[in-house]
Amino acid sequence: MRQYRVLGKPTPPESLKYDIDQETFKKSQQYSKAKAKFSIFTETYSLLQNCLIFKYDFLPFLWSKAGAGLKAIAPFLPKFLGISPGGQIAQSLIFLFYLQIIQVVVSFPVSYYQNFVLEEKFGFNKLTIKLFIADTLKALLLSAVFGTPLIGGFLQIVTYFGDSFVLYAWLLVFSFQLILQTIFPTIIQPLFNKVEPLEQGDLRTSIEELAKKNQFPLTKLYVIDGSKRSGHSNAYFMGLPWSKQIVLYDTLIKTASIKETTAVLAHEIGHWALSHNLKMIITQNIYIISVFGMFSLFVNNGALFQSFGFHHTKPILIGFLLFNDILKPFDCFFTFYNNILSRKHEYEADNYALKQGYAKELARSLIKLQIENLSSMDADWLYSAYHYSHPILSERLSAIGYQPEEKVVKEKATKSD
Ligand SMILES: [Zn+2]
């Protein structure tokens, strides 16, 4: 509600008044408001779903259906898998498969509305129905390919080690993180986007020089057709410590000039030079270990299972699902802390780009991206403190030392500057 009030303001914040024209500002306010309304709706919708699931003991119902399903297919499974009709792990995987199908169906109208009505209205949606369905199927397939060994392995570990599973389960999750980090740019991203090496030219030279100057181990430089799905612009890098790939969205290259794109990458390289990713990974893993640690106190709690309709069994997977609902209040603190840390990193990376001599270009590209994405121009301090992983634009600009009187963005930047 506090944020919603800010989204009703008729004029941009003082620091942006020269850079954002009235019409763009109005459009961005409308877009933010539409998204805020939509998220209030989706959150209510999912709360309602959760309540119905508990009220009508849907979990025990689906669990027994998964048991029946396993019984039906068990005779046809190859012997070496060693799956018996009453096996908890196989039943859990079938349960999750059912649950995922139901989730896709139930959330279909929501994601349809989001892409084809809301984003469409503001000109961001580039998806077609065919692409939308293909994406959904690919995502399902990916979650089966990676989710099955991860969850199967997790359940196996908890079954084997009992409530002292924490360290082993964490090792499993950690190795999955490493694998995904390695194969994401080369195997997963190409399933959804066309990934091509950035062509030779001024932009490539400019980025390579920047990487060299900072001793950034740049091995691959890609462009993806982000514009295939959405008009939002972005850039990111991935990979292992000794081999990094930078991925640029074609939308970013179209929006920003060469120097401005390089400034965005100077910011990204700043994240790397200041070990922000490492710090984030450590924070995340501490979180995972503490979640597993707390779960080990619940996994054998009969009262928990009984309260939710499981009278004769204590399936580990169900325990973990129920535990996740119990965890939500704790998650609030973690989200809050994580966002504080992330915003601190953003200021530091901006400062890094500034020291490289990109202050003006960075400011310009931030403003351009903000306009291009129609991101909220202003935010309530309490709302942004909790929800935002990035500081709001005006705060970033003043930290960079950008003077609004200069009106720099008004000069139309060309591709050759
Ligand atoms: Zn950043």
Side-chain angles (χ1 to χ4, degrees):
M1 287 301 133
R2 289 180 64 111
Q3 176 66 358
Y4 205 77
R5 231 174 287 146
V6 174
L7 298 176
K9 280 189 190 169
T11 48
E14 194 64 16
S15 58
L16 289 172
K17 64 179 178 188
Y18 297 115
D19 298 305
I20 313 283
D21 62 69
Q22 192 56 33
E23 199 188 330
T24 311
F25 179 71
K26 215 175 124 191
K27 204 174 163 202
S28 108
Q29 291 286 78
Q30 282 167 347
Y31 181 48
S32 300
K33 260 183 154 176
K35 281 198 298 185
K37 261 192 219 158
F38 181 66
S39 91
I40 292 172
F41 169 78
T42 51
E43 275 168 41
T44 314
Y45 184 55
S46 88
L47 183 68
L48 189 71
Q49 278 171 32
N50 235 4
C51 291
L52 291 176
I53 285 173
F54 291 139
K55 166 91 178 137
Y56 293 103
D57 279 341
F58 182 71
L59 294 179
F61 168 77
L62 198 65
W63 181 255
S64 72
K65 286 283 164 218
L70 178 62
K71 223 179 201 167
I73 61 164
F76 304 103
L77 294 171
K79 284 257 180 317
F80 67 87
L81 288 174
I83 292 170
S84 62
Q88 196 200 119
I89 295 175
Q91 190 171 347
S92 301
L93 293 173
I94 295 176
F95 174 86
L96 276 183
F97 174 73
Y98 287 171
L99 198 61
Q100 195 147 39
I101 300 288
I102 294 169
Q103 256 161 8
V104 168
V105 174
V106 172
S107 67
F108 179 80
V110 176
S111 48
Y112 182 89
Y113 180 87
Q114 179 174 14
N115 287 298
F116 294 102
V117 181
L118 202 157
E119 295 285 305
E120 180 81 44
K121 190 176 162 199
F122 292 89
F124 288 120
N125 178 45
K126 303 283 190 306
L127 268 175
T128 57
I129 295 282
K130 215 174 120 192
L131 193 60
F132 177 69
I133 292 171
D135 278 2
T136 311
L137 291 178
K138 279 184 212 166
L140 269 176
L141 199 70
L142 270 182
S143 76
V145 169
F146 291 100
T148 310
L150 179 65
I151 292 163
F154 174 72
L155 296 176
Q156 189 76 57
I157 287 172
V158 181
T159 311
Y160 187 81
F161 291 101
D163 48 17
S164 54
F165 67 87
V166 177
L167 192 65
Y168 308 98
W170 169 70
L171 277 173
L172 176 80
V173 173
F174 188 65
S175 32
F176 259 79
Q177 287 177 333
L178 284 185
I179 294 170
L180 282 179
Q181 184 83 1
T182 318
I183 66 169
F184 185 82
T186 45
I187 298 181
I188 299 177
Q189 183 93 68
L191 290 176
F192 295 94
N193 290 89
K194 202 158 86 196
V195 182
E196 282 177 329
L198 177 63
E199 57 186 42
Q200 296 295 335
D202 293 344
L203 180 60
R204 195 179 177 105
T205 318
S206 170
I207 294 170
E208 280 171 350
E209 274 169 12
L210 177 79
K212 213 165 151 195
K213 198 169 98 188
N214 289 282
Q215 280 140 19
F216 180 76
L218 177 64
T219 47
K220 302 258 168 54
L221 192 46
Y222 295 117
V223 182
I224 65 165
D225 57 344
S227 52
K228 187 176 163 191
R229 289 185 179 73
S230 139
H232 293 295
S233 326
N234 219 334
Y236 67 90
F237 72 87
M238 285 203 91
L240 297 165
W242 52 90
S243 148
K244 297 274 178 210
Q245 296 101 345
I246 288 181
V247 181
L248 297 172
Y249 278 55
D250 54 356
T251 30
L252 172 68
I253 301 176
K254 267 176 229 149
T255 313
S257 71
I258 290 175
K259 260 195 151 173
E260 289 162 3
T261 307
T262 315
V264 171
L265 290 175
H267 166 100
E268 292 300 323
I269 289 179
H271 280 309
W272 164 81
L274 302 165
S275 310
H276 289 160
N277 291 37
L278 185 68
K279 286 175 193 163
M280 279 299 189
I281 288 171
I282 293 173
T283 314
Q284 251 170 27
N285 280 285
I286 292 174
Y287 170 78
I288 292 171
I289 292 176
S290 49
V291 166
F292 284 167
M294 286 187 274
F295 178 53
S296 71
L297 306 174
F298 281 88
V299 66
N300 285 316
N301 187 329
L304 174 72
F305 289 92
Q306 273 179 18
S307 324
F308 290 96
F310 289 84
H311 298 290
H312 308 293
T313 59
K314 289 189 283 183
I316 298 161
L317 179 75
I318 300 291
F320 197 63
L321 291 181
L322 294 175
F323 168 72
N324 266 293
D325 277 317
I326 299 168
L327 193 67
K328 272 176 191 160
F330 168 79
D331 263 349
C332 291
F333 291 105
F334 181 73
T335 309
F336 189 37
Y337 171 76
N338 214 27
N339 280 337
I340 290 174
L341 187 66
S342 168
R343 289 196 299 266
K344 180 171 168 279
H345 289 169
E346 290 309 320
Y347 280 127
E348 288 171 4
D350 280 351
N351 191 40
Y352 188 88
L354 184 144
K355 280 190 191 144
Q356 304 259 319
Y358 288 104
K360 202 167 119 191
E361 287 79 14
L362 184 65
R364 273 206 252 176
S365 62
L366 288 177
I367 295 170
K368 275 189 183 175
L369 287 178
Q370 193 86 0
I371 293 175
E372 201 61 26
N373 292 332
L374 284 183
S375 314
S376 311
M377 305 290 171
D378 204 356
D380 174 71
W381 69 270
L382 190 57
Y383 179 86
S384 60
Y386 179 74
H387 288 279
Y388 282 13
S389 63
H390 286 58
I392 60 172
L393 180 61
S394 52
E395 288 168 352
R396 281 179 87 173
L397 291 178
S398 66
I400 295 172
Y402 170 72
Q403 298 294 325
E405 293 81 21
E406 289 175 15
K407 296 189 184 180
V408 276
V409 287
K410 286 283 163 68
E411 314 156 12
K412 192 101 179 151
T414 59
K415 282 272 167 195
S416 57
D417 68 346

